[in-house]
Amino acid sequence: MSSRPSPIPGFLLRLVIGIILIVVISLGIFTIVMQPPMSAIRHMAGFLSITALVSVLAGYGAYRSRWMERLPALRWSLLTGYALASLLTFLNVWITARLMFASQHDLLLATVLLLFASGIAMVLGYFLSSAVSERIHNLKHAAEAIQAGDLSIRLPVDGHDEVADLARTFNQMAEQLQQADARQRELDSLRRDLVAWAGHDLRTPLTGVRVLVEALADGMIEDPGTSQRYLEQARKQIDHLSSLIDDLFQISQLDAGGIPLNIEPASLSDLLSDTLENFTDLASRQGVHLSGNAAPGIDPVCMDVQRIGRVLNNLVSNALRHTPSGGHIFIQAEPDDDGIHVTVQDSGEGISPSDLPHIFDRFYRGEKSRNQSTGGSGLGLAIARGIVEAHGGRISAESVQNQGAKFCFILPRKD
């Protein structure tokens, strides 16, 4: 069991220095004002030294006894301190008056006045200490509220003393606890959603593959063409399952502190061309016109080519899912003062105003049935946002329902 270091030596040093300073100042004032003979100065110096020593011993004894820690309230501790100071003041002045006053009447009058002044000092001290103890009492109630789970409580910060600093620090702590609690609740909600949604999306392709494989294994399909079509459907379901697992892996990397990036100067123009080439056949089969261009002079761009390619793939595939036959999708990259703007714009059904604020949330899909034919896993846009923000950029979306949607992400320029 470790013991805390004792603060008594430092306390005693401060007490002795303070009292010696008072003795010197008092003796100096006595000498200047009274102009006494040297014998009187020596007599006064001896008397002040004795009373100062008594004060040091009394203060040190009170501190060593730790009576302030035994009292039930801070105001009583402060009041007892005022009482001790008043008693020492009374004794010092009374003894001095006793030695110097010749008249018994004057001594009694001084005694009455000292008692009166001591009483006034204690009453005033109690009043002022009540104000301090009330602030500490409020802090105690606020701490109890935090313990009970009320993280919204805040303390008024009045003044610039240590209690005000303590209240300010308490409010900062409460704010951080509230933010941490909100993040924890959000993570718990996301974790529950992950179990529910991922379970649904994983079970659907697995069920499809099982049905197809069982049909083939039981010999129910004898036609070679039908068998080939079943195998092709099984392959598509496995591809979808693989894509979903890859999305979940990307999300787990984001939760673990960010996606590792391999940033290097590269050609964004070539990456856009590769994206257009990869989706041209699919767009043609859906009857969608896919095009794009990159402004001259945008290259090179410091980026992780694979990750930014993933962002473009997610945005274009999302646009293809929501653009009907006869529509068009346009990809554009151009520079400005903020960096490189990349835009993916489609002429699909657009995004409803109620869905627009949530489209980058994990597992969020405006189509609530989670049909694979009309939507993905609900992770693509969340992954795109995580990758762009890991590059120090930002991503946004705007849309007018039934007039298409436009997604834009910005990559900052880096030397």
Side-chain angles (χ1 to χ4, degrees):
M1 180 177 179
S2 61
S3 60
R4 61 181 181 178
S6 174
I8 291 177
F11 162 79
L12 182 60
L13 180 62
R14 290 191 297 271
L15 178 63
V16 171
I17 291 176
I19 290 183
I20 290 176
L21 184 61
I22 293 299
V23 169
V24 172
I25 293 175
S26 300
L27 192 60
I29 294 175
F30 172 73
T31 303
I32 294 172
V33 173
M34 305 297 295
Q35 296 182 352
M38 184 58 65
S39 59
I41 294 176
R42 287 195 298 268
H43 180 75
M44 178 61 72
F47 172 74
L48 292 180
S49 298
I50 293 174
T51 56
L53 179 61
V54 172
S55 298
V56 169
L57 294 176
Y60 181 70
Y63 183 83
R64 286 288 294 175
S65 67
R66 299 192 178 276
W67 50 265
M68 296 184 68
E69 298 178 2
R70 298 187 179 94
L71 294 175
L74 177 62
R75 67 184 65 185
W76 293 111
S77 300
L78 295 175
L79 183 61
T80 308
Y82 297 143
L84 178 61
S86 299
L87 178 62
L88 291 174
T89 301
F90 175 84
L91 290 176
N92 286 332
V93 176
W94 188 86
I95 293 175
T96 303
R98 181 72 178 83
L99 294 174
M100 299 182 65
F101 288 172
S103 170
Q104 185 70 19
H105 175 271
D106 291 343
L107 180 60
L108 292 175
L109 179 60
T111 302
V112 172
L113 293 177
L114 284 172
L115 290 174
F116 172 77
S118 299
I120 291 294
M122 291 183 63
V123 171
L124 182 61
Y126 180 80
F127 172 75
L128 295 178
S129 64
S130 297
V132 176
S133 61
E134 185 66 25
R135 296 163 67 189
I136 297 178
H137 189 67
N138 292 337
L139 179 62
K140 173 179 174 290
H141 278 294
E144 291 174 347
I146 291 286
Q147 183 183 19
D150 182 10
L151 302 180
S152 64
I153 188 144
R154 298 293 183 271
L155 286 171
V157 180
D158 301 322
H160 305 282
D161 57 5
E162 291 84 351
V163 179
D165 291 338
L166 182 60
R168 191 177 296 106
T169 302
F170 178 89
N171 289 341
Q172 294 172 354
M173 178 198 69
E175 179 69 23
Q176 293 174 358
L177 287 175
Q178 190 174 29
Q179 292 176 359
D181 181 69
R183 287 194 298 268
Q184 185 61 45
R185 291 177 184 272
E186 181 181 2
L187 288 175
D188 290 341
S189 176
L190 289 173
R191 191 175 295 111
R192 289 191 297 268
D193 293 341
L194 173 63
V195 173
W197 292 336
H200 176 278
D201 286 354
L202 287 171
R203 185 169 57 250
T204 301
L206 283 174
T207 301
V209 170
R210 183 180 65 184
V211 170
L212 294 171
V213 171
E214 287 178 352
L216 292 172
D218 292 343
M220 299 175 59
I221 309 300
E222 299 179 356
D223 179 50
T226 303
S227 297
Q228 184 62 33
R229 181 165 55 84
Y230 272 36
L231 289 172
E232 182 65 21
Q233 291 177 0
R235 185 188 65 80
K236 289 181 179 180
Q237 295 288 354
I238 292 173
D239 288 342
H240 175 74
L241 184 61
S242 176
S243 176
L244 177 59
I245 293 174
D246 183 55
D247 286 346
L248 292 173
F249 177 71
Q250 295 286 340
I251 287 295
S252 69
Q253 286 185 310
L254 289 173
D255 287 338
I259 297 178
L261 300 178
N262 180 26
I263 296 181
E264 57 184 1
S267 173
L268 182 60
S269 302
D270 291 345
L271 185 58
L272 262 62
S273 298
D274 293 342
T275 303
L276 290 172
E277 183 177 354
N278 292 337
F279 285 94
T280 295
D281 290 341
L282 178 59
S284 297
R285 290 197 299 270
Q286 294 183 198
V288 176
H289 178 67
L290 179 63
S291 63
N293 64 55
I298 65 170
D299 295 325
V301 177
C302 288
M303 61 180 177
D304 186 320
V305 177
Q306 181 180 3
R307 303 296 187 184
I308 297 300
R310 176 68 182 273
V311 173
L312 289 170
N313 288 341
N314 287 357
L315 295 180
V316 174
S317 61
N318 185 71
L320 282 171
R321 273 197 301 270
H322 298 283
T323 303
S325 178
H328 63 270
I329 298 173
F330 182 68
I331 310 174
Q332 184 178 26
E334 55 186 356
D336 69 3
D337 294 338
D338 295 334
I340 306 299
H341 280 237
V342 181
T343 304
V344 178
Q345 187 167 5
D346 63 66
S347 61
E349 73 267 17
I351 306 170
S352 69
S354 61
D355 291 332
L356 192 59
H358 307 287
I359 57 173
F360 292 105
D361 294 345
R362 300 176 188 183
F363 295 103
Y364 186 85
R365 284 172 54 178
E367 188 275 311
K368 299 299 186 288
S369 68
R370 305 190 66 80
N371 190 337
Q372 293 179 23
S373 64
T374 58
S377 64
L379 294 173
L381 293 179
I383 292 172
R385 180 179 64 178
I387 293 174
V388 171
E389 290 179 351
H391 279 76
R394 61 183 185 273
I395 189 169
S396 60
E398 55 185 76
S399 175
V400 176
Q401 200 162 9
N402 299 320
Q403 297 184 24
K406 180 171 72 173
F407 288 83
C408 177
F409 66 89
I410 302 172
L411 296 176
R413 285 190 177 276
K414 299 180 181 178
D415 296 334

mmCIF file with all atom_site columns, all heavy atoms in Angstrom, residues 235-253:
data_model
loop_
_atom_site.group_PDB
_atom_site.id
_atom_site.type_symbol
_atom_site.label_atom_id
_atom_site.label_alt_id
_atom_site.label_comp_id
_atom_site.label_asym_id
_atom_site.label_entity_id
_atom_site.label_seq_id
_atom_site.pdbx_PDB_ins_code
_atom_site.Cartn_x
_atom_site.Cartn_y
_atom_site.Cartn_z
_atom_site.occupancy
_atom_site.B_iso_or_equiv
_atom_site.pdbx_formal_charge
_atom_site.auth_seq_id
_atom_site.auth_comp_id
_atom_site.auth_asym_id
_atom_site.auth_atom_id
_atom_site.pdbx_PDB_model_num
ATOM 1   N N   . ARG A 1 235 ? -23.022 -19.083 -59.800 1.00 0.00 ? 235 ARG A N   1
ATOM 2   C CA  . ARG A 1 235 ? -21.803 -18.265 -59.844 1.00 0.00 ? 235 ARG A CA  1
ATOM 3   C C   . ARG A 1 235 ? -22.126 -16.803 -59.524 1.00 0.00 ? 235 ARG A C   1
ATOM 4   O O   . ARG A 1 235 ? -21.381 -16.127 -58.788 1.00 0.00 ? 235 ARG A O   1
ATOM 5   C CB  . ARG A 1 235 ? -21.153 -18.371 -61.211 1.00 0.00 ? 235 ARG A CB  1
ATOM 6   C CG  . ARG A 1 235 ? -19.815 -17.661 -61.314 1.00 0.00 ? 235 ARG A CG  1
ATOM 7   C CD  . ARG A 1 235 ? -19.308 -17.643 -62.744 1.00 0.00 ? 235 ARG A CD  1
ATOM 8   N NE  . ARG A 1 235 ? -20.175 -16.853 -63.601 1.00 0.00 ? 235 ARG A NE  1
ATOM 9   C CZ  . ARG A 1 235 ? -20.150 -15.506 -63.667 1.00 0.00 ? 235 ARG A CZ  1
ATOM 10  N NH1 . ARG A 1 235 ? -19.306 -14.834 -62.914 1.00 0.00 ? 235 ARG A NH1 1
ATOM 11  N NH2 . ARG A 1 235 ? -20.967 -14.882 -64.472 1.00 0.00 ? 235 ARG A NH2 1
ATOM 12  N N   . LYS A 1 236 ? -23.236 -16.293 -60.036 1.00 0.00 ? 236 LYS A N   1
ATOM 13  C CA  . LYS A 1 236 ? -23.619 -14.906 -59.750 1.00 0.00 ? 236 LYS A CA  1
ATOM 14  C C   . LYS A 1 236 ? -23.914 -14.706 -58.267 1.00 0.00 ? 236 LYS A C   1
ATOM 15  O O   . LYS A 1 236 ? -23.546 -13.682 -57.671 1.00 0.00 ? 236 LYS A O   1
ATOM 16  C CB  . LYS A 1 236 ? -24.846 -14.526 -60.585 1.00 0.00 ? 236 LYS A CB  1
ATOM 17  C CG  . LYS A 1 236 ? -24.563 -14.381 -62.063 1.00 0.00 ? 236 LYS A CG  1
ATOM 18  C CD  . LYS A 1 236 ? -25.825 -13.983 -62.828 1.00 0.00 ? 236 LYS A CD  1
ATOM 19  C CE  . LYS A 1 236 ? -25.548 -13.821 -64.313 1.00 0.00 ? 236 LYS A CE  1
ATOM 20  N NZ  . LYS A 1 236 ? -26.777 -13.442 -65.066 1.00 0.00 ? 236 LYS A NZ  1
ATOM 21  N N   . GLN A 1 237 ? -24.591 -15.703 -57.668 1.00 0.00 ? 237 GLN A N   1
ATOM 22  C CA  . GLN A 1 237 ? -24.877 -15.605 -56.237 1.00 0.00 ? 237 GLN A CA  1
ATOM 23  C C   . GLN A 1 237 ? -23.593 -15.626 -55.416 1.00 0.00 ? 237 GLN A C   1
ATOM 24  O O   . GLN A 1 237 ? -23.444 -14.887 -54.420 1.00 0.00 ? 237 GLN A O   1
ATOM 25  C CB  . GLN A 1 237 ? -25.799 -16.744 -55.797 1.00 0.00 ? 237 GLN A CB  1
ATOM 26  C CG  . GLN A 1 237 ? -27.185 -16.720 -56.404 1.00 0.00 ? 237 GLN A CG  1
ATOM 27  C CD  . GLN A 1 237 ? -28.043 -15.605 -55.830 1.00 0.00 ? 237 GLN A CD  1
ATOM 28  O OE1 . GLN A 1 237 ? -27.649 -14.908 -54.903 1.00 0.00 ? 237 GLN A OE1 1
ATOM 29  N NE2 . GLN A 1 237 ? -29.224 -15.414 -56.394 1.00 0.00 ? 237 GLN A NE2 1
ATOM 30  N N   . ILE A 1 238 ? -22.637 -16.461 -55.851 1.00 0.00 ? 238 ILE A N   1
ATOM 31  C CA  . ILE A 1 238 ? -21.347 -16.516 -55.140 1.00 0.00 ? 238 ILE A CA  1
ATOM 32  C C   . ILE A 1 238 ? -20.593 -15.204 -55.314 1.00 0.00 ? 238 ILE A C   1
ATOM 33  O O   . ILE A 1 238 ? -19.963 -14.709 -54.367 1.00 0.00 ? 238 ILE A O   1
ATOM 34  C CB  . ILE A 1 238 ? -20.512 -17.707 -55.653 1.00 0.00 ? 238 ILE A CB  1
ATOM 35  C CG1 . ILE A 1 238 ? -21.192 -19.028 -55.234 1.00 0.00 ? 238 ILE A CG1 1
ATOM 36  C CG2 . ILE A 1 238 ? -19.085 -17.640 -55.124 1.00 0.00 ? 238 ILE A CG2 1
ATOM 37  C CD1 . ILE A 1 238 ? -20.546 -20.258 -55.838 1.00 0.00 ? 238 ILE A CD1 1
ATOM 38  N N   . ASP A 1 239 ? -20.649 -14.612 -56.514 1.00 0.00 ? 239 ASP A N   1
ATOM 39  C CA  . ASP A 1 239 ? -20.008 -13.313 -56.734 1.00 0.00 ? 239 ASP A CA  1
ATOM 40  C C   . ASP A 1 239 ? -20.630 -12.244 -55.835 1.00 0.00 ? 239 ASP A C   1
ATOM 41  O O   . ASP A 1 239 ? -19.923 -11.394 -55.252 1.00 0.00 ? 239 ASP A O   1
ATOM 42  C CB  . ASP A 1 239 ? -20.134 -12.894 -58.201 1.00 0.00 ? 239 ASP A CB  1
ATOM 43  C CG  . ASP A 1 239 ? -19.255 -13.721 -59.121 1.00 0.00 ? 239 ASP A CG  1
ATOM 44  O OD1 . ASP A 1 239 ? -18.318 -14.372 -58.611 1.00 0.00 ? 239 ASP A OD1 1
ATOM 45  O OD2 . ASP A 1 239 ? -19.504 -13.714 -60.346 1.00 0.00 ? 239 ASP A OD2 1
ATOM 46  N N   . HIS A 1 240 ? -21.958 -12.280 -55.717 1.00 0.00 ? 240 HIS A N   1
ATOM 47  C CA  . HIS A 1 240 ? -22.631 -11.316 -54.843 1.00 0.00 ? 240 HIS A CA  1
ATOM 48  C C   . HIS A 1 240 ? -22.213 -11.525 -53.391 1.00 0.00 ? 240 HIS A C   1
ATOM 49  O O   . HIS A 1 240 ? -21.969 -10.559 -52.653 1.00 0.00 ? 240 HIS A O   1
ATOM 50  C CB  . HIS A 1 240 ? -24.143 -11.470 -54.985 1.00 0.00 ? 240 HIS A CB  1
ATOM 51  C CG  . HIS A 1 240 ? -24.913 -10.600 -54.037 1.00 0.00 ? 240 HIS A CG  1
ATOM 52  N ND1 . HIS A 1 240 ? -25.051 -9.243  -54.190 1.00 0.00 ? 240 HIS A ND1 1
ATOM 53  C CD2 . HIS A 1 240 ? -25.590 -10.917 -52.883 1.00 0.00 ? 240 HIS A CD2 1
ATOM 54  C CE1 . HIS A 1 240 ? -25.763 -8.746  -53.209 1.00 0.00 ? 240 HIS A CE1 1
ATOM 55  N NE2 . HIS A 1 240 ? -26.111 -9.734  -52.394 1.00 0.00 ? 240 HIS A NE2 1
ATOM 56  N N   . LEU A 1 241 ? -22.122 -12.791 -52.970 1.00 0.00 ? 241 LEU A N   1
ATOM 57  C CA  . LEU A 1 241 ? -21.706 -13.098 -51.608 1.00 0.00 ? 241 LEU A CA  1
ATOM 58  C C   . LEU A 1 241 ? -20.276 -12.623 -51.361 1.00 0.00 ? 241 LEU A C   1
ATOM 59  O O   . LEU A 1 241 ? -19.963 -12.053 -50.315 1.00 0.00 ? 241 LEU A O   1
ATOM 60  C CB  . LEU A 1 241 ? -21.819 -14.604 -51.368 1.00 0.00 ? 241 LEU A CB  1
ATOM 61  C CG  . LEU A 1 241 ? -21.524 -15.112 -49.960 1.00 0.00 ? 241 LEU A CG  1
ATOM 62  C CD1 . LEU A 1 241 ? -22.475 -14.505 -48.962 1.00 0.00 ? 241 LEU A CD1 1
ATOM 63  C CD2 . LEU A 1 241 ? -21.608 -16.637 -49.936 1.00 0.00 ? 241 LEU A CD2 1
ATOM 64  N N   . SER A 1 242 ? -19.404 -12.830 -52.338 1.00 0.00 ? 242 SER A N   1
ATOM 65  C CA  . SER A 1 242 ? -18.020 -12.387 -52.214 1.00 0.00 ? 242 SER A CA  1
ATOM 66  C C   . SER A 1 242 ? -17.937 -10.869 -52.116 1.00 0.00 ? 242 SER A C   1
ATOM 67  O O   . SER A 1 242 ? -17.159 -10.319 -51.320 1.00 0.00 ? 242 SER A O   1
ATOM 68  C CB  . SER A 1 242 ? -17.197 -12.887 -53.399 1.00 0.00 ? 242 SER A CB  1
ATOM 69  O OG  . SER A 1 242 ? -15.884 -12.387 -53.350 1.00 0.00 ? 242 SER A OG  1
ATOM 70  N N   . SER A 1 243 ? -18.754 -10.183 -52.904 1.00 0.00 ? 243 SER A N   1
ATOM 71  C CA  . SER A 1 243 ? -18.767 -8.723  -52.863 1.00 0.00 ? 243 SER A CA  1
ATOM 72  C C   . SER A 1 243 ? -19.247 -8.220  -51.500 1.00 0.00 ? 243 SER A C   1
ATOM 73  O O   . SER A 1 243 ? -18.689 -7.252  -50.945 1.00 0.00 ? 243 SER A O   1
ATOM 74  C CB  . SER A 1 243 ? -19.663 -8.183  -53.973 1.00 0.00 ? 243 SER A CB  1
ATOM 75  O OG  . SER A 1 243 ? -19.772 -6.778  -53.896 1.00 0.00 ? 243 SER A OG  1
ATOM 76  N N   . LEU A 1 244 ? -20.264 -8.862  -50.943 1.00 0.00 ? 244 LEU A N   1
ATOM 77  C CA  . LEU A 1 244 ? -20.774 -8.453  -49.640 1.00 0.00 ? 244 LEU A CA  1
ATOM 78  C C   . LEU A 1 244 ? -19.731 -8.671  -48.551 1.00 0.00 ? 244 LEU A C   1
ATOM 79  O O   . LEU A 1 244 ? -19.529 -7.809  -47.683 1.00 0.00 ? 244 LEU A O   1
ATOM 80  C CB  . LEU A 1 244 ? -22.043 -9.236  -49.313 1.00 0.00 ? 244 LEU A CB  1
ATOM 81  C CG  . LEU A 1 244 ? -22.667 -8.958  -47.940 1.00 0.00 ? 244 LEU A CG  1
ATOM 82  C CD1 . LEU A 1 244 ? -23.023 -7.492  -47.786 1.00 0.00 ? 244 LEU A CD1 1
ATOM 83  C CD2 . LEU A 1 244 ? -23.894 -9.834  -47.725 1.00 0.00 ? 244 LEU A CD2 1
ATOM 84  N N   . ILE A 1 245 ? -19.042 -9.798  -48.586 1.00 0.00 ? 245 ILE A N   1
ATOM 85  C CA  . ILE A 1 245 ? -17.994 -10.063 -47.593 1.00 0.00 ? 245 ILE A CA  1
ATOM 86  C C   . ILE A 1 245 ? -16.873 -9.040  -47.720 1.00 0.00 ? 245 ILE A C   1
ATOM 87  O O   . ILE A 1 245 ? -16.322 -8.563  -46.722 1.00 0.00 ? 245 ILE A O   1
ATOM 88  C CB  . ILE A 1 245 ? -17.464 -11.500 -47.761 1.00 0.00 ? 245 ILE A CB  1
ATOM 89  C CG1 . ILE A 1 245 ? -18.562 -12.509 -47.390 1.00 0.00 ? 245 ILE A CG1 1
ATOM 90  C CG2 . ILE A 1 245 ? -16.217 -11.731 -46.907 1.00 0.00 ? 245 ILE A CG2 1
ATOM 91  C CD1 . ILE A 1 245 ? -18.191 -13.951 -47.656 1.00 0.00 ? 245 ILE A CD1 1
ATOM 92  N N   . ASP A 1 246 ? -16.533 -8.676  -48.968 1.00 0.00 ? 246 ASP A N   1
ATOM 93  C CA  . ASP A 1 246 ? -15.505 -7.649  -49.171 1.00 0.00 ? 246 ASP A CA  1
ATOM 94  C C   . ASP A 1 246 ? -15.953 -6.302  -48.584 1.00 0.00 ? 246 ASP A C   1
ATOM 95  O O   . ASP A 1 246 ? -15.157 -5.590  -47.970 1.00 0.00 ? 246 ASP A O   1
ATOM 96  C CB  . ASP A 1 246 ? -15.219 -7.509  -50.668 1.00 0.00 ? 246 ASP A CB  1
ATOM 97  C CG  . ASP A 1 246 ? -14.102 -6.513  -50.936 1.00 0.00 ? 246 ASP A CG  1
ATOM 98  O OD1 . ASP A 1 246 ? -13.002 -6.666  -50.378 1.00 0.00 ? 246 ASP A OD1 1
ATOM 99  O OD2 . ASP A 1 246 ? -14.345 -5.559  -51.699 1.00 0.00 ? 246 ASP A OD2 1
ATOM 100 N N   . ASP A 1 247 ? -17.234 -5.976  -48.761 1.00 0.00 ? 247 ASP A N   1
ATOM 101 C CA  . ASP A 1 247 ? -17.747 -4.727  -48.177 1.00 0.00 ? 247 ASP A CA  1
ATOM 102 C C   . ASP A 1 247 ? -17.666 -4.754  -46.654 1.00 0.00 ? 247 ASP A C   1
ATOM 103 O O   . ASP A 1 247 ? -17.293 -3.765  -46.018 1.00 0.00 ? 247 ASP A O   1
ATOM 104 C CB  . ASP A 1 247 ? -19.198 -4.515  -48.615 1.00 0.00 ? 247 ASP A CB  1
ATOM 105 C CG  . ASP A 1 247 ? -19.308 -4.085  -50.069 1.00 0.00 ? 247 ASP A CG  1
ATOM 106 O OD1 . ASP A 1 247 ? -18.282 -3.706  -50.657 1.00 0.00 ? 247 ASP A OD1 1
ATOM 107 O OD2 . ASP A 1 247 ? -20.430 -4.130  -50.618 1.00 0.00 ? 247 ASP A OD2 1
ATOM 108 N N   . LEU A 1 248 ? -18.024 -5.882  -46.071 1.00 0.00 ? 248 LEU A N   1
ATOM 109 C CA  . LEU A 1 248 ? -17.953 -6.001  -44.619 1.00 0.00 ? 248 LEU A CA  1
ATOM 110 C C   . LEU A 1 248 ? -16.512 -5.880  -44.126 1.00 0.00 ? 248 LEU A C   1
ATOM 111 O O   . LEU A 1 248 ? -16.244 -5.293  -43.069 1.00 0.00 ? 248 LEU A O   1
ATOM 112 C CB  . LEU A 1 248 ? -18.550 -7.340  -44.165 1.00 0.00 ? 248 LEU A CB  1
ATOM 113 C CG  . LEU A 1 248 ? -20.063 -7.491  -44.356 1.00 0.00 ? 248 LEU A CG  1
ATOM 114 C CD1 . LEU A 1 248 ? -20.497 -8.915  -44.039 1.00 0.00 ? 248 LEU A CD1 1
ATOM 115 C CD2 . LEU A 1 248 ? -20.810 -6.504  -43.486 1.00 0.00 ? 248 LEU A CD2 1
ATOM 116 N N   . PHE A 1 249 ? -15.580 -6.405  -44.898 1.00 0.00 ? 249 PHE A N   1
ATOM 117 C CA  . PHE A 1 249 ? -14.167 -6.282  -44.529 1.00 0.00 ? 249 PHE A CA  1
ATOM 118 C C   . PHE A 1 249 ? -13.722 -4.825  -44.577 1.00 0.00 ? 249 PHE A C   1
ATOM 119 O O   . PHE A 1 249 ? -12.986 -4.351  -43.705 1.00 0.00 ? 249 PHE A O   1
ATOM 120 C CB  . PHE A 1 249 ? -13.324 -7.141  -45.468 1.00 0.00 ? 249 PHE A CB  1
ATOM 121 C CG  . PHE A 1 249 ? -11.841 -7.023  -45.221 1.00 0.00 ? 249 PHE A CG  1
ATOM 122 C CD1 . PHE A 1 249 ? -11.261 -7.564  -44.088 1.00 0.00 ? 249 PHE A CD1 1
ATOM 123 C CD2 . PHE A 1 249 ? -11.025 -6.353  -46.124 1.00 0.00 ? 249 PHE A CD2 1
ATOM 124 C CE1 . PHE A 1 249 ? -9.899  -7.450  -43.852 1.00 0.00 ? 249 PHE A CE1 1
ATOM 125 C CE2 . PHE A 1 249 ? -9.665  -6.226  -45.891 1.00 0.00 ? 249 PHE A CE2 1
ATOM 126 C CZ  . PHE A 1 249 ? -9.104  -6.783  -44.756 1.00 0.00 ? 249 PHE A CZ  1
ATOM 127 N N   . GLN A 1 250 ? -14.165 -4.099  -45.612 1.00 0.00 ? 250 GLN A N   1
ATOM 128 C CA  . GLN A 1 250 ? -13.817 -2.687  -45.711 1.00 0.00 ? 250 GLN A CA  1
ATOM 129 C C   . GLN A 1 250 ? -14.396 -1.903  -44.522 1.00 0.00 ? 250 GLN A C   1
ATOM 130 O O   . GLN A 1 250 ? -13.719 -1.041  -43.943 1.00 0.00 ? 250 GLN A O   1
ATOM 131 C CB  . GLN A 1 250 ? -14.367 -2.108  -47.018 1.00 0.00 ? 250 GLN A CB  1
ATOM 132 C CG  . GLN A 1 250 ? -13.757 -2.693  -48.290 1.00 0.00 ? 250 GLN A CG  1
ATOM 133 C CD  . GLN A 1 250 ? -12.347 -2.198  -48.533 1.00 0.00 ? 250 GLN A CD  1
ATOM 134 O OE1 . GLN A 1 250 ? -11.941 -1.170  -48.004 1.00 0.00 ? 250 GLN A OE1 1
ATOM 135 N NE2 . GLN A 1 250 ? -11.590 -2.925  -49.331 1.00 0.00 ? 250 GLN A NE2 1
ATOM 136 N N   . ILE A 1 251 ? -15.634 -2.203  -44.155 1.00 0.00 ? 251 ILE A N   1
ATOM 137 C CA  . ILE A 1 251 ? -16.246 -1.521  -43.014 1.00 0.00 ? 251 ILE A CA  1
ATOM 138 C C   . ILE A 1 251 ? -15.498 -1.839  -41.725 1.00 0.00 ? 251 ILE A C   1
ATOM 139 O O   . ILE A 1 251 ? -15.296 -0.967  -40.869 1.00 0.00 ? 251 ILE A O   1
ATOM 140 C CB  . ILE A 1 251 ? -17.732 -1.925  -42.893 1.00 0.00 ? 251 ILE A CB  1
ATOM 141 C CG1 . ILE A 1 251 ? -18.545 -1.257  -44.004 1.00 0.00 ? 251 ILE A CG1 1
ATOM 142 C CG2 . ILE A 1 251 ? -18.287 -1.549  -41.534 1.00 0.00 ? 251 ILE A CG2 1
ATOM 143 C CD1 . ILE A 1 251 ? -18.597 0.257   -43.898 1.00 0.00 ? 251 ILE A CD1 1
ATOM 144 N N   . SER A 1 252 ? -15.064 -3.072  -41.556 1.00 0.00 ? 252 SER A N   1
ATOM 145 C CA  . SER A 1 252 ? -14.305 -3.431  -40.347 1.00 0.00 ? 252 SER A CA  1
ATOM 146 C C   . SER A 1 252 ? -12.992 -2.674  -40.290 1.00 0.00 ? 252 SER A C   1
ATOM 147 O O   . SER A 1 252 ? -12.527 -2.300  -39.206 1.00 0.00 ? 252 SER A O   1
ATOM 148 C CB  . SER A 1 252 ? -14.049 -4.942  -40.320 1.00 0.00 ? 252 SER A CB  1
ATOM 149 O OG  . SER A 1 252 ? -13.138 -5.320  -41.338 1.00 0.00 ? 252 SER A OG  1
ATOM 150 N N   . GLN A 1 253 ? -12.365 -2.412  -41.440 1.00 0.00 ? 253 GLN A N   1
ATOM 151 C CA  . GLN A 1 253 ? -11.148 -1.613  -41.459 1.00 0.00 ? 253 GLN A CA  1
ATOM 152 C C   . GLN A 1 253 ? -11.432 -0.171  -41.036 1.00 0.00 ? 253 GLN A C   1
ATOM 153 O O   . GLN A 1 253 ? -10.644 0.448   -40.309 1.00 0.00 ? 253 GLN A O   1
ATOM 154 C CB  . GLN A 1 253 ? -10.515 -1.630  -42.847 1.00 0.00 ? 253 GLN A CB  1
ATOM 155 C CG  . GLN A 1 253 ? -9.833  -2.949  -43.196 1.00 0.00 ? 253 GLN A CG  1
ATOM 156 C CD  . GLN A 1 253 ? -9.124  -2.878  -44.535 1.00 0.00 ? 253 GLN A CD  1
ATOM 157 O OE1 . GLN A 1 253 ? -9.711  -2.454  -45.539 1.00 0.00 ? 253 GLN A OE1 1
ATOM 158 N NE2 . GLN A 1 253 ? -7.877  -3.278  -44.560 1.00 0.00 ? 253 GLN A NE2 1
#
